[in-house]
Amino acid sequence: EDRRRYADGALKALLAHAAPAVRARAALAVGRLQDSTAVPDLLPLLGDANPAVRREAVFALGQTGHRSARGPIELKLKDSDAETVELAIEALGKLGEKSSGASVASFLKTGTPGQRSEAAVALWRLADSTALPALLAAHADPDPEVRWRVLYALEKIVVPQRVVLVVALHLNDAEWTTRACAARTIGRQKSTRGSAYLMGALRDAET
């Protein structure tokens, strides 16, 4: 019923409403439908003067899962609104195009804490092995919310000779979430050295 409602033009008309708040809510609603046919109608909202509208348009395009949205979303990585950039990073991860990996990985070094966190999660989704150097360089991020997400992303890249030793440094991290992600990632590497580190971590009741 919701998809038919969009096809019938009810939501489509609201995307062009004069009020920014209505445009934003309409974009959010379209995103929840996850309907790829909405992509052409959402793209103009990426240039909306109101940042709230741009945010919801980026979110909605990521929800469609349609690869045609990748290029326009990548342009939003340079948006003046930091939250729009975060959502663009998240959306690129959801679209799953590995060609976005380099653009996303660059935020591990230059982004705000929120952008760095989203970049790590997006790289987990992309499972792009070319992002390994950027992830390893970010393993000791000062923000614990970023740190555990970086370790989480590393579980998808199985290169034990490069990953295990670096990740093992976090088995004694002050944050239990970071320790838990470190243990999980080491386990996914399936190496003898990693197993030895994990045996030591068994004494930690929180991991």
Side-chain angles (χ1 to χ4, degrees), residues 54-129:
R54 298 200 302 275
R55 292 171 199 155
E56 299 300 355
V58 169
F59 167 78
L61 286 165
Q63 292 296 99
T64 66
H66 201 274
R67 62 179 57 188
S68 66
R70 181 184 63 81
I73 291 174
E74 281 197 348
L75 294 177
K76 293 288 92 184
L77 294 176
K78 297 181 180 180
D79 198 275
S80 58
D81 177 61
E83 190 175 342
T84 298
V85 174
E86 285 184 31
L87 289 164
I89 295 168
E90 178 186 25
L92 290 171
K94 290 178 177 178
L95 291 179
E97 293 286 320
K98 289 185 186 294
S99 54
S100 298
S103 298
V104 169
S106 68
F107 284 89
L108 291 174
K109 184 176 181 180
T110 64
T112 64
Q115 291 166 358
R116 299 198 305 272
S117 291
E118 291 296 347
V121 174
L123 290 172
W124 176 85
R125 289 190 170 112
L126 294 173
D128 181 9
S129 60

Side-chain angles (χ1 to χ4, degrees), residues 162-192:
R162 298 188 64 186
V163 173
V164 169
L165 185 58
V166 171
V167 175
L169 297 173
H170 297 281
L171 290 173
N172 294 316
D173 195 278
E175 297 291 331
W176 77 266
T177 308
T178 304
R179 298 198 302 275
C181 286
R184 176 187 171 103
T185 294
I186 291 172
R188 296 297 175 92
Q189 298 295 313
K190 297 181 180 179
S191 75
T192 302

Side-chain angles (χ1 to χ4, degrees), residues 13-23 48:
L14 293 176
L15 291 173
H17 197 278
V22 175
R23 295 198 300 276
D48 200 282

